[in-house]
Amino acid sequence: MCRKKRASMYVHGSSTKKKPRNLAFGRMFNEKTLDHFEFHLARSARNATDGHTTAWKFPSYGSPPSFVFLGQQWQKDKNLSEFKNLLIDCFGVRLGKTLSMESIEHALVCVAHNQTQVSLVHYVIET
């Protein structure tokens, strides 16, 4: 599929009997896989505040998320450091020196609990 679409990155989700709730991230160069990370999605928590249901709010189309990486493992572990770079490249985030708080619409908080457990939580920021 990457060859057909001329894509250098991919995200693939699947669920089979042997590998339920599986998510794979990858990067390719010259039709060869450079990086491949595979995750098992343990659970998905929905935000339920006091039993009230609120309408979902979505950021503007095409706006890249702000990333927050929590935990020292992101710098210490080579695999987590490579996955961090892949996430930033995948979402098209441009690293800059200045940040305007008005331009932030949503954030992806990535927590490294240890070398094998990572939590990703998406927050929409209301202004």
Side-chain angles (χ1 to χ4, degrees), residues 44-85:
S44 174
R46 298 217 178 217
N47 186 10
T49 55
D50 299 330
H52 295 97
T53 57
T54 58
W56 287 93
K57 297 188 180 182
F58 297 98
S60 301
Y61 178 77
S63 67
S66 296
F67 280 92
V68 178
F69 292 95
L70 300 175
Q72 294 179 358
Q73 296 294 332
W74 293 107
Q75 287 83 26
K76 290 181 177 179
D77 188 71
K78 182 183 175 218
N79 288 333
L80 285 177
S81 179
E82 288 176 2
F83 180 62
K84 175 183 171 182
N85 290 334

Side-chain angles (χ1 to χ4, degrees), residues 1-51:
M1 183 61 113
C2 290
R3 184 182 312 135
K4 180 180 177 183
K5 298 291 183 181
R6 304 195 75 156
S8 62
M9 303 182 95
Y10 61 89
V11 178
H12 180 262
S14 64
S15 186
T16 62
K17 192 172 186 177
K18 288 186 177 183
K19 290 185 178 183
R21 298 179 309 276
N22 196 37
L23 187 63
F25 289 85
R27 182 186 343 238
M28 299 182 75
F29 179 74
N30 207 13
E31 298 181 5
K32 301 214 185 304
T33 302
L34 291 178
D35 299 322
H36 180 82
F37 297 94
E38 200 167 313
F39 296 95
H40 168 71
L41 303 177
R43 65 183 177 103
S44 174
R46 298 217 178 217
N47 186 10
T49 55
D50 299 330

